[in-house]
């Protein structure tokens, strides 16, 4: 599935537990773009007593993330396709908590938990072309840097050292954002766990919206264009406008069966999972 260019391999694990498919080695093999399917992460769709459906998200390096916004939007779409949910509001369980979801036309929307640890000033030195840097936890930690020219940013060269900055206990995704002529914004993200620039980041969009609002640069609805050219929309409500709702594209690109996955030099036969 693709969520605005953030791509995932989904495994329907409601009947059978993920088992060895959830190991870092197999996840890495699946996500490898040269020798596997190629993805930013693997998502396991699971049954739960707490919500209509549960997702477990593993980054491309096999690490587990509490939340992935675009993976949750894709989960909403897949849950509808599989008949798990109907036309009304429903609930998705994530490692960060139970989130409400709904559809607005063909686009899913999810209500995330309020952003926390919001710091309009991150306390790190700025480089030329950077105007501001803030920090927020939107399910996962994010740095947000307002820049003059988004195309000129070296996302990997600048993002990689910031992602592991000594002041960040758990590291962070690093988002670069710039304004557009129509009043909206565009952004690019260096994503931890993928350790590269990704084409979109849902929680990154949320962190950006929260900090743009804190900086007084937007109202409570923020439209953000991803590197893939798709739009994510964030609505901010609640006290101090810290409670976000995220909507965006969620596409079912193809369905298939896993075959031989090279992991640690050995071929792992995973047929029968898909």
């Amino acid at each position: 599935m693709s969520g605005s260019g953030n791509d995932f391999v989904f495994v329907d694990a409601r009947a059978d537990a993920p088992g060895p498919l959830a190991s870092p080695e197999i996840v890495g093999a699946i996500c490898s773009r040269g020798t596997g399917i190629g993805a930013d992460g693997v998502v396991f769709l699971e049954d739960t007593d707490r919500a209509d459906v549960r997702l477990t998200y593993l980054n491309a390096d096999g690490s587990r993330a509490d939340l992935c916004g675009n993976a949750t939007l894709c989960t909403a779409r897949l849950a509808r396709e599989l008949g798990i949910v109907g036309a009304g509001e429903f609930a998705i369980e994530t490692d960060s908590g139970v989130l409400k979801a709904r559809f607005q036309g063909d686009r899913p929307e999810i209500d995330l938990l309020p952003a926390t640890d919001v710091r309009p000033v991150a306390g790190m030195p700025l480089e030329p072309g950077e105007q501001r840097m803030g920090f927020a936890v939107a399910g996962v930690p994010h740095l947000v840097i307002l820049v003059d020219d988004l195309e000129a940013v070296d996302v990997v060269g600048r993002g990689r050292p910031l992602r592991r900055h000594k002041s960040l206990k758990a590291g962070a995704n690093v988002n670069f954002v710039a304004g557009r002529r129509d009043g909206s914004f565009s952004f690019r993200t260096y994503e931890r766990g993928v350790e590269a620039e990704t084409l979109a980041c849902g929680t990154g969009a949320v962190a950006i919206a929260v900090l743009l609002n804190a900086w007084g640069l937007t109202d409570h609805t923020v439209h953000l264009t991803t590197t893939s050219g798709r739009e994510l929309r964030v609505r901010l409500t609640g006290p101090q406008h810290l409670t976000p709702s995220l909507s965006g594209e969620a596409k079912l690109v193809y369905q298939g069966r896993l075959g031989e996955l090279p992991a640690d030099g050995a071929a792992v036969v995973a047929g029968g999972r898909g």
Side-chain angles (χ1 to χ4, degrees):
M1 298 192 73
S2 174
S4 299
N6 229 180
D7 58 339
F8 315 102
V9 173
F10 271 76
V11 178
D12 187 350
R14 290 176 296 158
D16 298 306
L21 284 183
S23 70
E25 295 79 15
I26 300 300
V27 169
I30 291 171
C31 292
S32 173
R33 298 192 185 276
T35 57
I37 296 171
D40 293 329
V42 174
V43 184
F44 295 102
L45 205 66
E46 299 169 299
D47 282 331
T48 175
D49 294 330
R50 300 183 61 204
D52 294 284
V53 68
R54 173 182 168 78
L55 73 91
T56 298
Y57 179 72
L58 301 177
N59 289 305
D61 66 358
S63 61
R64 186 158 170 163
D66 290 340
L67 182 66
C68 175
N70 283 321
T72 308
L73 290 173
C74 286
T75 297
R77 168 73 191 280
L78 186 56
R80 188 174 71 171
E81 294 294 325
L82 294 175
I84 299 171
V85 301
E89 190 169 85
F90 54 97
I92 300 173
E93 182 183 356
T94 73
D95 280 358
S96 71
V98 175
L99 310 179
K100 292 181 180 179
R102 68 198 61 83
F103 278 86
Q104 298 180 336
D106 291 332
R107 290 168 68 91
E109 181 181 61
I110 54 174
D111 298 337
L112 282 74
L113 300 176
T116 60
D117 197 11
V118 178
R119 293 178 248 160
V121 178
M124 301 178 193
L126 297 174
E127 292 194 349
E130 298 175 354
Q131 301 176 27
R132 305 182 188 213
M133 184 190 306
F135 176 86
V137 176
V140 293
H142 287 272
L143 285 171
V144 175
I145 305 171
L146 183 65
V147 300
D148 297 330
D149 184 352
L150 192 60
E151 296 302 317
V153 173
D154 181 357
V155 172
V156 174
R158 178 64 167 146
R160 183 168 288 162
L162 286 174
R163 172 259 186 274
R164 299 184 183 275
H165 195 275
K166 61 183 180 181
S167 68
L168 303 172
K169 293 181 180 180
N173 293 347
V174 184
N175 307 275
F176 303 89
V177 59
R180 296 162 60 95
R181 290 182 179 179
D182 63 1
S184 66
F185 291 83
S186 294
F187 74 104
R188 300 170 66 185
T189 299
Y190 181 90
E191 197 161 343
R192 68 172 190 168
V194 181
E195 306 308 331
E197 180 177 2
T198 54
L199 295 181
C201 181
T203 56
V206 169
I208 290 168
V210 167
L211 284 162
L212 288 175
N213 186 258
W215 291 333
L217 299 178
T218 66
D219 59 16
H220 308 144
T221 299
V222 185
H223 297 269
L224 294 153
T225 300
T226 65
T227 303
S228 68
R230 275 69 168 181
E231 182 185 272
L232 291 169
R233 188 191 70 181
V234 181
R235 295 189 297 113
L236 299 173
T237 59
Q240 299 179 298
H241 306 293
L242 295 178
T243 303
S245 295
L246 173 70
S247 63
E249 177 186 85
K251 296 178 67 176
L252 182 59
V253 180
Y254 66 88
Q255 300 178 55
R257 293 170 63 89
L258 299 179
E260 296 179 0
L261 301 172
D264 290 338
V268 178
V269 178
R273 295 279 186 172

